[in-house]
Amino acid sequence: MQAVKKVKNMNRPDNLNTRLFLDGGIPEETREVISLLGFLDGQTTNPTLISKNPYAQERLEQGEKFTKDEILDFYKKVVDEISGLIPQGSVSVEVYADLQTTAEEMLEQGREMFSWIPNAHIKFPTTREGLTAAEKAIKEGMRVNMTLCFSQEQAAAVFAATKGAKKGDVFVSPFVGRLDDKGENGMSLIENILKMYKEGDGHVEVLTASVRSLNHIYEALKLKTDIITAPVSIYKEWKDVGIEIPDSYVYNQGSLSNIPYQDLNLNLDWQSFNIEHELTNKGIERFSQDWNSLISK
Ligand code: E4P
């Protein structure tokens, strides 16, 4: 690991009202994006992204897997380095969860990960167990990022489960690219959630995730999402066109079908919402497989 170098968050364009995060597990990319944009507001990591870190890949290629303690130590070092590069920002760190992981197990990991760095948001899956963990985590003073969100009902449940938290402490991450892959317009879910949250107290911020194109970025800016997380490749593409922030933008959704808006009551108990989504389960399976691929049996 290289020595931690502090970089101030400056040079943000005046007309940029959305915070920009990097989606990745490689500190060198963090440096690259800070230099491309002149600032960076935060970073999101996940088990798949950590498994793609070149150091982890190199170890695997040499036939040397990690023990459970070693991989956590590696994750901690990566996150610590990133945190030092953006001390004013937020760094999302994801708990290990498979379909059997209990809320208590997630919470225990979350407590540990939250102590790693001063600017962590802990990612829990938007499932019954994940929401149970998040509800407790918020009461203990932790910051959370509810990940693998694919529906408005899941976002309503996040709002209801984290009532009382202050703005900045709770993110919800709808995955637009993975909805697009299924023929559904992921950006329409962002629009729906933002509209629904207008009825609330603003304590949950919408973090547009699984971003695959500049179209996603421009539409997310137009919709005034609170935060966007995107991979380094998209920031490079954006830099090539001068980090333009269009005054007006017409999103080309192609053949993607819009997700209809639902009238949901944010004052209900979170348990009353239908939080099941097949993509959430698939996402959990993929994250846990990628993580387990690093660990020796
Ligand atoms: C970020 O928090 C998410 O984990 C990430 O954006 C998922 O992106 P993907 O759908 O490209 O894996």
Side-chain angles (χ1 to χ4, degrees):
M1 296 281 155
Q2 296 185 24
V4 165
K5 197 171 77 184
K6 294 202 173 180
V7 179
K8 273 202 171 156
N9 188 349
M10 50 204 294
N11 305 327
R12 296 186 91 261
D14 290 340
N15 56 343
L16 180 63
N17 300 313
T18 290
R19 288 169 0 250
L20 300 181
F21 286 13
L22 171 65
D23 202 17
I26 308 174
E28 286 67 30
E29 288 183 355
T30 315
R31 289 191 185 82
E32 194 177 351
V33 174
I34 291 170
S35 134
L36 276 176
L37 298 179
F39 69 94
L40 184 62
D41 298 312
Q43 179 145 353
T44 46
T45 67
N46 68 39
T48 300
L49 293 169
I50 293 298
S51 75
K52 285 186 188 153
N53 178 293
Y55 172 76
Q57 283 300 320
E58 215 176 284
R59 250 186 86 143
L60 288 196
E61 275 156 29
Q62 288 165 1
E64 281 179 56
K65 291 201 174 189
F66 295 80
T67 64
K68 278 187 179 168
D69 285 347
E70 280 172 345
I71 193 61
L72 269 186
D73 193 45
F74 174 65
Y75 196 3
K76 180 174 186 284
K77 281 188 179 132
V78 168
V79 158
D80 196 40
E81 189 171 350
I82 293 169
S83 167
L85 293 167
I86 43 172
Q88 79 298 336
S90 148
V91 183
S92 286
V93 190
E94 185 154 346
V95 299
Y96 171 84
D98 56 34
L99 295 172
Q100 278 73 48
T101 310
T102 64
E104 203 43 54
E105 286 164 343
M106 290 184 207
L107 188 59
E108 207 173 300
Q109 295 178 67
R111 287 187 191 115
E112 164 72 18
M113 290 167 158
F114 195 70
S115 75
W116 286 354
I117 50 171
N119 51 348
H121 275 77
I122 300 302
K123 286 171 100 178
F124 294 110
T126 311
T127 56
R128 198 155 295 281
E129 296 303 312
L131 283 159
T132 304
E135 189 176 25
K136 291 187 181 159
I138 282 296
K139 290 200 174 107
E140 291 182 16
M142 288 161 60
R143 292 175 294 272
V144 302
N145 175 356
M146 300 309 294
T147 192
L148 290 164
C149 171
F150 294 96
S151 77
Q152 201 190 317
E153 292 218 45
Q154 286 177 316
V158 169
F159 183 97
T162 58
K163 262 184 204 145
K166 66 175 195 302
K167 188 177 164 83
D169 285 1
V170 184
F171 303 154
V172 63
S173 291
F175 277 30
V176 297
R178 294 193 196 185
L179 281 165
D180 288 3
D181 293 342
K182 298 268 291 174
E184 295 184 55
N185 179 5
M187 292 313 301
S188 68
L189 176 63
I190 300 292
E191 189 170 4
N192 293 345
I193 296 172
L194 287 166
K195 180 176 169 189
M196 172 175 72
Y197 281 176
K198 281 214 171 98
E199 306 301 317
D201 60 359
H203 80 272
V204 184
E205 294 186 293
V206 178
L207 192 165
T208 299
S210 185
V211 161
R212 307 266 169 81
S213 66
L214 273 186
N215 288 335
H216 282 151
I217 298 255
Y218 293 150
E219 181 67 0
L221 293 176
K222 185 180 88 186
L223 295 175
K224 298 190 170 49
T225 188
D226 300 281
I227 304 161
I228 297 171
T229 192
V232 64
S233 56
I234 304 286
Y235 286 122
K236 282 185 187 158
E237 227 183 283
W238 200 10
K239 177 74 177 176
D240 288 343
V241 292
I243 320 280
E244 58 170 352
I245 301 170
D247 288 334
S248 60
Y249 184 66
V250 179
Y251 184 58
N252 179 2
Q253 70 182 77
S255 57
L256 299 174
S257 346
N258 281 340
I259 298 170
Y261 182 76
Q262 294 170 277
D263 264 316
L264 299 174
N265 180 353
L266 292 174
N267 293 316
L268 295 178
D269 193 288
W270 71 260
Q271 312 256 11
S272 67
F273 295 106
N274 174 11
I275 49 170
E276 297 299 318
H277 200 288
E278 67 155 317
L279 289 181
T280 304
N281 289 348
K282 273 196 181 164
I284 288 175
E285 276 169 0
R286 189 166 129 206
F287 283 155
S288 55
Q289 275 163 14
D290 287 342
W291 189 249
N292 287 328
S293 74
L294 299 169
I295 301 170
S296 51
K297 294 257 181 286

